[in-house]
Structures are given as structure tokens and as C-alpha cells.
Amino acid sequence: MRVQLWHGQLCRVVGHSMAPRLKAGELVVVDKGAYRSRDPRRGELVAVRPASLDGKVLVKRVVGLPHERVRVGRRAWTLGGGEFFLLGEQPDHSLDSQVFGPVN
């Protein structure tokens, strides 16, 4: 018999950068083991802790995959192996990869 343990965490949404998908004050469950067996896919919501934000957890949408070139407005990023580009649902008002860059 195989027993699988669930490693989740409840997080409260702060701010409006993910509206209308996630609203300020809502609780979301973050599955910490979701990507142990596969990489994130385009369009999925992911929780990340960018090093530059001192451990703050952000929930954003995957819009760029490894080895792709992502353009947002006049800026462009070329992603390396294992790098993902994340945006909020309101990219003009979101703390996302436009600010902290691609994430691993």
C-alpha cells in the first residue's frame, strides 16, 4: 500500500494583481509538491518566493517557458533553461517577472 502525504499551505490573497481570478482576502491552497514530477505549464497559476523579495509568496500565471522569448510592451526577456516568466492578471499593476525577472 502506498501512502501519499499532502504538503499544502494556506495563503491569503493580498492586493488586486490577480483579479478577477483571485480576489483580495480570498484563501488559496498552495500544493508545495505540485511540480516534483513535472514542470509548470503555460497558463497555470504558481506560487513563488523570488529571492529579491525576502521570502514573500506571490501567486502569478506562467506566461513564458524555458528557452522562449517573452515580450511585454517594449521590453523583452530571453529565458534560459529552467526559467519561467510570470505575470499577474493585471500586469500594469502587478509585482511579477517584469519587476523581479524570470524565476527558476
Side-chain angles (χ1 to χ4, degrees):
M1 180 165 109
R2 183 174 169 208
V3 176
Q4 186 173 6
L5 298 176
W6 179 71
H7 299 284
Q9 176 181 342
L10 280 175
C11 294
R12 186 167 305 278
V13 175
V14 177
H16 302 281
S17 71
M18 289 303 292
R21 172 63 71 190
L22 301 175
K23 295 173 180 66
E26 285 185 316
L27 284 174
V28 296
V29 176
V30 175
D31 181 355
K32 293 181 176 185
Y35 298 112
R36 287 191 180 133
S37 61
R38 70 170 180 85
D39 286 338
R41 296 178 181 134
R42 186 182 327 280
E44 290 183 334
L45 296 181
V46 296
V48 295
R49 290 181 195 262
S52 61
L53 299 180
D54 297 323
K56 183 177 181 179
V57 176
L58 301 176
V59 176
K60 302 297 172 188
R61 186 172 302 281
V62 176
V63 298
L65 302 174
H67 305 291
E68 290 184 342
R69 186 163 173 82
V70 177
R71 180 174 292 282
V72 180
R74 294 182 173 168
R75 295 183 64 194
W77 294 262
T78 301
L79 306 180
E83 290 186 327
F84 297 86
F85 199 85
L86 311 176
L87 287 179
E89 302 288 86
Q90 308 292 324
D92 292 338
H93 308 286
S94 180
L95 181 57
D96 54 32
S97 287
Q98 296 177 90
V99 176
F100 52 76
V103 297
N104 292 323

